[in-house]
Structure formats: C-alpha cells, structure tokens
Amino acid sequence: MLVIGIDPGTATTGYGLLKVQENGETKLIDSGLIETDKDGDPSRRLDKIYTSMLALLKEHSPDIFAMEKIFFFSNAKTVIRVGQAQGVLLLAAARAKIPVVEYAPGKIKLIVGGNGRADKVIMKEAVRKIFGIRAEKGKKTHFDNVADAIAVAMCHVRLANGYAKEGDKRG
C-alpha cells in the first residue's frame, strides 16, 4: 500500500508518501512541500497547488490520498484559503482516480503522537523517531508542514493495518 499524506495550505502544502511493505514495515518514500508566493495572485497559487499535486500523484500513483481536515481556525480568511487549497487538492485526487480519506487533527495526534492534544513539537518528534528525518538547514519552519503530512499518512497506515483502534492511546 502506498499512501500520500497531505497537510493542506496555500503558502505551503506538505506531503509525505509512505509505502507499507509486504512484511508490514513502513518506509518513507518521498516528502516535501508545494510552496506558493504568499503575495501572489490567489488563482495562480491554487493552480500551482493543483498542477503540482497532480504531477506528484501521476509520478507515484498512491493507493490512498489521506488529508488533514480543517478543524478550527480563529482567522476566517485563513480557513477560507485553506479550504480553497483543500478543494484543488481533492480535485487532483479525483482526476487521478485516487480514493480520499480525511482525518481530524485530534485523531492524527492521538494515533501518531499518542495524545489527541499533542503539540507540534511532540508530533515532529514522533515523525523523527519513526523515520529518522530532520528539517533541512534553513527550512525548519516548513518542516512542520512536512512532518504533519507524514503524520497524516502514518495515521492512515496505522488505522488501515489495525495497529491503532478508535480511542487507542498508543503512538
């Protein structure tokens, strides 16, 4: 099974591709960011997110597209922009004919970080422990998005393989 995890955003959309081997081992195949100019034209930014994601999906042909749901934002403008990014990401998955699953942030934090209220530090550390990756020099702020995307994919892998059940506190 090949799972792409997505942390949607308009400035940075994180992605992480996980492959579950026949022996049950999970390997990180690829990860990164789709970045757009925060001061750029909104329609061009969405087009870049869409075309970049579609290219990634065609290159890797994942079996599942797992995306973090919008849960809560205090800024209405931010939630609208993220919702627009989610829309074009869902369109890319539909065009590539890849099934979509969505997970709430609390579910991802519970399944991967062991606590439904885990903060970003705990989540990044969980991803580091599992896959041994670190932020590139000068890209530490954006590593949050990549780590979140990998955590989304890991959440799906664990739920799909029965490693974690609803309400399970294991990481």
Side-chain angles (χ1 to χ4, degrees), residues 103-121:
Y103 297 104
K107 168 70 90 184
I108 298 162
K109 292 173 180 184
L110 175 65
I111 300 301
V112 178
N115 178 336
R117 296 185 184 271
D119 63 15
K120 288 207 172 278
V121 174

Side-chain angles (χ1 to χ4, degrees), residues 46 94 99 101 161:
L46 293 171
V101 293
N161 289 320

Side-chain angles (χ1 to χ4, degrees), residues 16-161:
L17 277 143
L18 299 181
K19 172 100 173 145
V20 180
Q21 311 285 11
E22 286 187 30
N23 66 3
E25 183 181 349
T26 302
K27 291 193 170 212
L28 178 63
I29 302 299
D30 191 14
S31 64
L33 294 169
I34 298 169
E35 297 180 82
T36 66
D37 178 3
K38 67 178 181 150
D39 297 319
D41 176 68
S43 62
R44 294 194 193 288
R45 293 173 75 191
L46 293 171
D47 182 60
K48 180 176 181 181
I49 293 165
Y50 170 76
T51 57
S52 298
M53 182 53 62
L54 195 56
L56 265 171
L57 297 176
K58 286 182 179 182
E59 177 184 350
H60 293 286
S61 298
D63 300 302
I64 293 287
F65 184 98
M67 186 163 60
E68 184 175 21
K69 286 183 188 178
I70 292 179
F71 184 65
F72 174 79
F73 281 94
S74 57
N75 182 332
K77 186 177 173 185
T78 300
V79 77
I80 290 168
R81 291 286 185 221
V82 173
Q84 290 171 336
Q86 283 182 314
V88 299
L89 290 162
L90 290 170
L91 178 60
R95 290 281 164 91
K97 296 180 174 42
I98 299 168
V100 174
V101 293
E102 294 181 277
Y103 297 104
K107 168 70 90 184
I108 298 162
K109 292 173 180 184
L110 175 65
I111 300 301
V112 178
N115 178 336
R117 296 185 184 271
D119 63 15
K120 288 207 172 278
V121 174
I122 291 169
M123 295 305 291
K124 284 191 292 190
E125 189 57 34
V127 168
R128 281 188 192 117
K129 279 183 183 176
I130 296 166
F131 298 107
I133 63 169
R134 293 205 166 287
E136 294 177 35
K137 285 203 180 266
K139 295 279 187 178
K140 288 188 190 286
T141 56
H142 297 311
F143 183 68
D144 288 357
N145 303 106
V146 173
D148 285 352
I150 294 168
V152 173
M154 193 69 215
C155 176
H156 179 77
V157 166
R158 287 183 172 178
L159 289 171
N161 289 320

